[in-house]
Amino acid sequence: MKCRVSFLIRTYLWTVVVFVLAKVAFMLLCGEDHEYGINDVCQVVQHGLGLDLSTALYFLIVPFLLCAVQIWYWHKWLNKLLQVYFLIISLAFALAFVADTSLYPFWGFKLNATCLQYLESPNEMAASVSTTYLIWRFLAIAIATIIIFDGYRHRFPVKISMPTKQKLTELIIYILSIPLMVIGIRGGVSESTTNTGQVFFSQQLFLNHSAVNPVFSFLSSFEHGEDDYYHYNYFEPEEMDGILKDVYTTESVGIDTLLTTQHPNVIVILLESCGAVFTELGGHPETMPRFSQIANEGICFTQCYGNSWRTDRGTVCTLSGWPSFPNVSVMKMPDKSQTMPSIAKTLKQANYQTHYLYGGDINFTNMRGYLIATGWDHLTSMDDYPKSQVTSKWGVADDVTFETVYQMATTIQQPYLIGFSTLSSHEPWEVPVSQFDDEIQNAFYYLDQCIGTFIDKLKQSPVWDNTLVVMLPDHGIQYQQLDETKPLRNLIPVVWTGGVVKAPKRIDKICNQSDLAATLLGQLGKSHDDFTFSRDVLSSTYRYPMAVHNYNNAQSMIDSTGFILYDFDANRFIKRDSKDADRMLKVSKAILQKTTNDLKER
C-alpha cells in the first residue's frame, strides 16, 4: 500500500514541479521585451500554482486507476502500460511547452487550440521561421521529453502480498480519494470552476500569461465549440440596441468629399503586419520614409486601429467591412464568409473589373474561397509565377508582386478594383536589403522601398490621374515591448493617394479598419447599407468615434475617454485606462453580442 501511495504522490509532485519549471523557462525565453525581477518570478509561480495543482490531477487519473487495479491484480504489463502512458504525456508536455514559448512572441497569448487551425497548411507555418529555428525546437522537444520522462519512470509499484482485509481498506481509501480529486480538478466547491483567469494578478499582461499553465490553456480551449462563440449574451435585445444606438450608423450624409471623381480606379493594398510603430505615427519615420512622405502628400487616417491580430481576420475586416471575433475566423467558415458583403461585390455592380493578387499560397486559411465568394473575379497567386521567382519561404517577394500590380494597373480594362496583399514583412523577415541591424525593422524598410518605387512608377503612367491607391495594414504587430495592453500595438496607418486625391489631409477621428468599406463607398457615391458594421468616418452621422480590437476571447476598446482591455475568460479588466471604463465595457459587450448574433444568423 505504501509503495503505491508513495508512487502516486511522487508522480503528482513531479508533474507539479514540471509545470513550475516550465513557467520559469517561459519567462526566461519570452521575457526579452518585458521587465521583471526575481519577485515577479515568485509571484508568477505563487499565483499559477493553484492551476498547476489542478491540472496535475488530470494526469494522475490513469496512474490512480491502474494502482487501484493492482490492489487485486498485479502484473508486469501494468507497469509497462504506465511507462507508455508516462512517455506519451512527457512528449505531450514537451510539445506544449516548446509550442507555447515559440508562438508567444508572435501571437502574444498562451497556447490554445487556435494553433491546430494552421496545421492544414504546414508549409505556410514553416515559412514563418528558419530551418535552424525548427531544428532547435525539435531538439528542445526531444530533450524536454527525456527529462520529464526520466522523472516519472523510477520506482514503479511492485507486487505486494496483502490479506483481503488490508486490500479492502486500501480500496476504500482510493474510493474516498475520488471526491477529493474531483474537487481538486474542479478547483473547489464553488460555482466557479478552474479557469485561466484565476491566475491573473498583475497589470502587466506578460506576468499574467506566465502564470497560466499552457497545458490547461490548450485543453480548456476545446471546451468552446463553434456555437460557444456566440454565447456573449449580456443584455436583452432592446437594451443592447439602445446601447448601440449611435455606434453603427451606415448612412453617408454631408460627407467631406476628398476625391475629384466618384468613378476612379481603386487599388487596395494590405500591408503585411505594418503597424504604425514603424511610421511617423509611432515615432519611427526613419523605418518607412517613403510611406511617411506619401502619407503627407495624400490623405492619412491617423487614428485607425486594426480589428484583429491575424491576416485572415484582418482581410475580411478590410474588404468586407465586417468585424472580427475573439475566437473564430470568418474566412475559415465558407458557409458564413460567402454571405459577407464586400467592396468587390459592390463595385462589380458598377461594372468594375475585380482582380486580387497574393504572392503566396492563396488557398491558405480558405483565402481563395472567400475572395471568389465575395466578388473577386481574377485571382493571381504564387502558382502563377515561375519557380525562379518564388524566392521567399512565403512565396514571391514584394518587389516582384508590386511590379505585377503596376502591370495590372496600366493594362487591364478600366474602371478596375485591384486588391493586393504583401507578404515579405513577415517572419522570418528575409528580405534583400540590409538597412538596419534589427531584422524586423529592416523588413519594413524593404516594404517601404517597394511602396515608393511602385508609387513613383504609377505617377508616371497615364492611369495615375484617375486612380485611387488605398494602403493599410492587415493588422498591427507585437514588437519589442508593445503588447495588447498598449493602443499602439494595434494602431495602423491608413493612407489614400493617387491622382484623384483633391489635396493632402489628415483625418484624426478614431476608427477601425472595418470602416474603410463604408468610407470608401461613401466617397464613390455607392450605397453601403449592407455593410452593417462599417461606418463612414467622413459622414456627419459618425457621432461616436471609437475602435475595438479582439483576440483570444479578449477585447479592447478605445474612444475619446481612454482605453480598456477586458478578458472574457478571466471576467476582468486587464487594462482600465479610462475615466468611463464601466460605460465603455457595456458598449464593448454590446458590440460583441450584436456582431456574434449576426454571424450566427448568417
Side-chain angles (χ1 to χ4, degrees):
M1 174 179 173
K2 288 182 179 180
C3 176
R4 280 187 288 269
V5 172
S6 66
F7 164 73
L8 290 173
I9 292 173
R10 280 187 286 104
T11 297
Y12 179 65
L13 292 178
W14 175 241
T15 306
V16 174
V17 168
V18 167
F19 289 158
V20 171
L21 292 176
K23 293 187 194 310
V24 178
F26 176 86
M27 297 185 75
L28 290 173
L29 294 169
C30 299
E32 180 181 358
D33 296 325
H34 306 277
E35 296 181 1
Y36 66 91
I38 295 297
N39 182 60
D40 294 316
V41 176
C42 295
Q43 290 280 333
V44 164
V45 172
Q46 175 189 337
H47 286 87
L49 188 59
L51 190 56
D52 293 337
L53 293 171
S54 177
T55 307
L57 284 172
Y58 282 98
F59 299 96
L60 191 66
I61 293 173
V62 171
F64 180 87
L65 293 175
L66 288 177
C67 284
V69 170
Q70 287 185 350
I71 297 173
W72 304 96
Y73 173 76
W74 189 95
H75 197 278
K76 287 183 179 180
W77 71 267
L78 289 172
N79 281 349
K80 292 292 184 183
L81 188 59
L82 277 171
Q83 285 186 320
V84 172
Y85 171 75
F86 286 129
L87 180 60
I88 292 172
I89 66 168
S90 296
L91 177 59
F93 288 170
L95 283 168
F97 300 149
V98 174
D100 187 39
T101 55
S102 299
L103 291 173
Y104 187 82
F106 299 145
W107 289 4
F109 57 79
K110 295 293 282 187
L111 183 70
N112 64 26
T114 300
C115 65
L116 299 180
Q117 298 175 12
Y118 299 94
L119 290 179
E120 298 173 1
S121 305
N123 291 336
E124 281 64 36
M125 289 194 304
S128 297
V129 294
S130 66
T131 302
T132 303
Y133 180 97
L134 292 174
I135 291 173
W136 277 112
R137 266 58 189 180
F138 281 121
L139 283 174
I141 291 169
I143 292 170
T145 300
I146 292 169
I147 293 172
I148 297 169
F149 180 63
D150 189 63
Y152 283 125
R153 67 187 184 87
H154 295 299
R155 298 180 184 175
F156 283 161
V158 297
K159 185 175 183 179
I160 304 173
S161 297
M162 292 190 303
T164 302
K165 184 177 180 180
Q166 191 171 351
K167 290 181 179 180
L168 288 171
T169 301
E170 184 175 351
L171 180 62
I172 291 171
I173 293 173
Y174 276 60
I175 293 172
L176 293 176
S177 299
I178 292 175
L180 297 177
M181 290 182 67
V182 171
I183 292 171
I185 289 172
R186 195 178 179 279
V189 295
S190 64
E191 291 186 8
S192 176
T193 57
T194 302
N195 62 82
T196 56
Q198 73 185 47
V199 308
F200 283 29
F201 69 97
S202 172
Q203 290 299 309
Q204 189 175 344
L205 200 57
F206 173 70
L207 298 181
N208 292 330
H209 287 163
S210 298
V212 173
N213 186 301
V215 177
F216 181 87
S217 177
F218 180 76
L219 294 176
S220 64
S221 65
F222 285 97
E223 294 178 4
H224 301 289
E226 187 172 293
D227 289 342
D228 231 15
Y229 296 134
Y230 312 122
H231 290 172
Y232 297 102
N233 295 315
Y234 303 106
F235 312 102
E236 292 298 321
E238 297 79 9
E239 183 181 5
M240 176 188 67
D241 291 337
I243 294 170
L244 299 179
K245 181 180 178 182
D246 293 322
V247 175
Y248 291 111
T249 51
T250 59
E251 304 89 357
S252 289
V253 178
I255 60 174
D256 182 5
T257 304
L258 304 179
L259 309 179
T260 60
T261 177
Q262 289 189 329
H263 306 285
N265 301 312
V266 180
I267 303 173
V268 178
I269 305 176
L270 283 171
L271 307 172
E272 173 64 50
S273 306
C274 186
V277 65
F278 296 114
T279 70
E280 62 180 358
L281 297 179
H284 293 286
E286 73 280 1
T287 305
M288 301 187 70
R290 292 304 314 278
F291 186 82
S292 296
Q293 175 194 350
I294 295 166
N296 291 329
E297 295 173 351
I299 301 163
C300 181
F301 293 76
T302 63
Q303 294 197 70
C304 183
Y305 293 84
N307 293 69
S308 190
W309 57 283
R310 293 292 294 178
T311 297
D312 51 321
R313 293 157 167 83
T315 299
V316 173
C317 294
T318 304
L319 303 180
S320 290
W322 214 249
S324 59
F325 302 93
N327 285 319
V328 66
S329 169
V330 177
M331 184 179 280
K332 297 177 184 177
M333 305 167 69
D335 58 324
K336 305 290 185 182
S337 63
Q338 67 185 8
T339 70
M340 296 285 118
S342 80
I343 297 171
K345 274 183 182 178
T346 300
L347 292 187
K348 269 184 67 174
Q349 295 171 1
N351 297 317
Y352 274 67
Q353 301 291 312
T354 57
H355 296 252
Y356 205 92
L357 167 64
Y358 174 57
D361 181 1
I362 205 165
N363 295 309
F364 187 44
T365 65
N366 192 45
M367 188 176 189
R368 180 190 295 275
Y370 162 73
L371 292 172
I372 291 174
T374 53
W376 297 91
D377 287 335
H378 307 281
L379 305 183
T380 303
S381 69
M382 178 175 67
D383 295 336
D384 298 299
Y385 289 85
K387 289 185 178 180
S388 61
Q389 290 186 315
V390 183
T391 57
S392 162
K393 288 189 175 182
W394 277 100
V396 184
D398 286 349
D399 58 5
V400 178
T401 50
F402 266 102
E403 176 61 24
T404 304
V405 175
Y406 172 76
Q407 294 298 328
M408 286 181 175
T410 55
T411 59
I412 62 178
Q413 181 182 336
Q414 302 181 48
Y416 54 70
L417 168 66
I418 298 174
F420 170 39
S421 294
T422 71
L423 56 71
S424 294
S425 50
H426 193 291
E427 305 94 359
W429 318 110
E430 295 175 350
V431 295
V433 297
S434 300
Q435 179 71 13
F436 298 99
D437 292 334
D438 185 323
E439 63 178 1
I440 300 177
Q441 192 177 11
N442 195 59
F444 286 98
Y445 178 80
Y446 165 70
L447 171 62
D448 182 70
Q449 298 306 294
C450 294
I451 292 170
T453 300
F454 169 72
I455 295 297
D456 287 346
K457 289 186 66 174
L458 199 63
K459 280 183 178 180
Q460 302 303 314
S461 74
V463 301
W464 174 259
D465 290 339
N466 192 46
T467 298
L468 171 66
V469 180
V470 178
M471 294 184 285
L472 73 164
D474 51 357
H475 54 80
I477 186 171
Q478 184 125 339
Y479 178 67
Q480 294 182 347
Q481 296 186 12
L482 280 183
D483 61 26
E484 294 287 356
T485 64
K486 301 174 179 65
L488 182 58
R489 160 67 175 83
N490 299 304
L491 182 65
I492 58 174
V494 180
V495 172
W496 293 16
T497 188
V500 298
V501 172
K502 280 184 177 179
K505 190 178 184 67
R506 289 172 70 91
I507 310 295
D508 296 322
K509 295 179 181 179
I510 297 172
C511 60
N512 268 128
Q513 73 189 111
S514 54
D515 296 321
L516 169 68
T519 304
L520 174 61
L521 294 174
Q523 290 293 305
L524 303 185
K526 304 293 187 291
S527 171
H528 48 85
D529 291 344
D530 51 342
F531 292 78
T532 311
F533 302 107
S534 184
R535 305 161 299 175
D536 185 345
V537 176
L538 302 171
S539 170
S540 61
T541 59
Y542 189 57
R543 302 187 187 96
Y544 180 38
M546 67 87 197
V548 293
H549 168 88
N550 49 49
Y551 72 101
N552 195 37
N553 213 25
Q555 181 158 287
S556 62
M557 178 176 171
I558 187 168
D559 66 10
S560 61
T561 70
F563 173 82
I564 65 168
L565 172 61
Y566 193 84
D567 190 299
F568 295 99
D569 283 330
N571 289 318
R572 56 165 286 182
F573 285 101
I574 304 303
K575 190 80 169 183
R576 186 182 177 129
D577 189 13
S578 169
K579 60 185 179 182
D580 207 2
D582 291 333
R583 178 196 58 80
M584 288 181 69
L585 180 60
K586 285 185 66 176
V587 175
S588 181
K589 286 183 173 180
I591 289 171
L592 199 53
Q593 181 174 338
K594 180 78 171 179
T595 56
T596 52
N597 283 348
D598 183 276
L599 184 65
K600 182 179 181 179
E601 293 168 2
R602 285 186 171 270

